[in-house]
Amino acid sequence: MERKTIIQTIDLVKNYGEGENMVRAVDKISITIDEGEFVAIMGPSGSGKSTLMNILACLDRPSEGQYILAGEDVSNYSRTELARIRGKELGFVFQSFNLLPRMTALENVMLPLMYRPDRPTTIPERKELALKVLENVGLGGRANHLPSELSGGQQQRVAIARVLINDPILVLADEPTGNLDTKSSEEIMGMLHDLNERGRTIVMVTHEPEIAAHTQRILHIRDGKLHADEKNGHHYTKRVLQAVDMEPQKI
């Protein structure tokens, strides 16, 4: 069965500035990412990988070329239209977790539902769904804790639960293990891999080769261009999960 294409870019360009001062951060990048792929984007500082990620995340628009997301050409969408796409179709996992400090884990996970009229609308329904998702990432007992009362790894699990509650077609992870110790990093990667095994498409920016090695494919960006598209073929197996005393998550 042919897989659905989630991401397609055609000669994608992003320029900053004008005239002699113009900088081409993304230079005619054409890529295709299918449903269910787990892809890493790598490149040195200033390579254009973060600019590319911002476009894929509908946080910015290309200067030229096309970005087709799940069959929908979003290249020239307005900021309002891009915000709609982000709220409905995309999920984000950040290095800094981006949790609201005065909200509990449960309240942070419930937050995206405010922007989804097609999701549960009453507060009890939202709480029930958010608690279920937190339980699925192993944090049901920490639902009423503030982010400051959680470890880095636990905060990232809350961030992943916040992603899952919206059931996005695409998960975008920006250095998701950058602020974590080795064991927490392995646990988060195990969780992302398990999400991928359940059919979710994941695109991750990382500068760590050992983290990129967990993905199926690596896009190497250099000087704004796609330097290499490498089939990685590595999979984060249950054996590795067991090595860090972690069971696959039921998400």
Side-chain angles (χ1 to χ4, degrees):
M1 182 177 178
E2 187 174 351
R3 292 193 294 180
K4 179 181 179 181
T5 297
I6 297 298
I7 288 174
Q8 182 181 17
T9 70
I10 303 171
D11 291 334
L12 207 64
V13 170
K14 182 62 181 181
N15 299 323
Y16 293 105
E18 298 179 354
E20 295 181 356
N21 296 321
M22 188 188 76
V23 174
R24 178 159 288 187
V26 172
D27 191 358
K28 292 190 175 182
I29 290 181
S30 298
I31 57 174
T32 298
I33 297 175
D34 290 334
E35 185 176 31
E37 284 197 88
F38 191 175
V39 179
I41 299 177
M42 297 192 72
S45 179
S47 63
K49 65 181 185 297
S50 294
T51 302
L52 175 61
M53 187 68 154
N54 284 342
I55 294 173
L56 298 182
C58 293
L59 294 167
D60 202 355
R61 290 172 291 189
S63 303
E64 302 173 23
Q66 289 179 278
Y67 175 29
I68 301 168
L69 176 64
E72 186 174 358
D73 190 340
V74 302
S75 311
N76 298 309
Y77 274 15
S78 67
R79 294 186 183 278
T80 300
E81 290 171 319
L82 290 177
R84 174 184 61 82
I85 292 291
R86 290 196 304 272
K88 186 177 180 180
E89 307 288 356
L90 307 181
F92 300 90
V93 182
F94 300 98
Q95 177 179 350
S96 56
F97 318 132
N98 283 17
L99 302 178
L100 296 182
R102 295 185 180 181
M103 286 188 169
T104 65
L106 184 68
E107 290 167 337
N108 268 284
V109 174
M110 288 170 59
L111 195 59
L113 297 179
M114 294 176 60
Y115 307 99
R116 290 290 301 271
D118 57 322
R119 303 291 279 167
T121 55
T122 69
I123 292 178
E125 287 176 328
R126 290 175 182 174
K127 284 185 175 180
E128 183 180 0
L129 180 57
L131 183 58
K132 181 179 179 180
V133 177
L134 277 172
E135 288 172 347
N136 285 342
V137 299
L139 289 178
R142 298 277 182 165
N144 294 317
H145 286 63
L146 296 173
S148 61
E149 299 171 323
L150 302 173
S151 69
Q154 289 171 335
Q155 289 185 61
Q156 195 62 292
R157 287 193 188 203
V158 173
I160 290 174
R162 185 179 56 189
V163 165
L164 295 177
I165 203 165
N166 256 354
D167 194 25
I169 61 169
L170 174 64
V171 175
L172 298 130
D174 188 1
E175 301 281 4
T177 62
N179 286 337
L180 303 178
D181 59 33
T182 300
K183 186 175 188 300
S184 295
S185 295
E186 296 284 7
E187 290 177 352
I188 295 304
M189 289 309 301
M191 191 173 295
L192 289 177
H193 182 76
D194 195 58
L195 294 179
N196 175 246
E197 284 192 337
R198 295 171 186 274
R200 296 181 191 271
T201 307
I202 302 175
V203 177
M204 175 182 67
V205 166
T206 182
H207 69 279
E208 301 176 79
E210 62 272 23
I211 295 298
H214 292 307
T215 66
Q216 301 161 353
R217 181 178 165 200
I218 304 175
L219 305 178
H220 295 272
I221 308 298
R222 185 178 298 173
D223 298 325
K225 298 179 182 291
L226 178 61
H227 180 70
D229 184 345
E230 173 189 3
K231 292 287 187 181
N232 196 31
H234 293 175
H235 295 279
Y236 201 78
T237 64
K238 291 181 180 179
R239 177 181 58 81
V240 180
L241 291 174
Q242 291 166 354
V244 295
D245 298 322
M246 179 182 175
E247 291 298 323
Q249 300 297 316
K250 297 178 181 180
I251 301 170

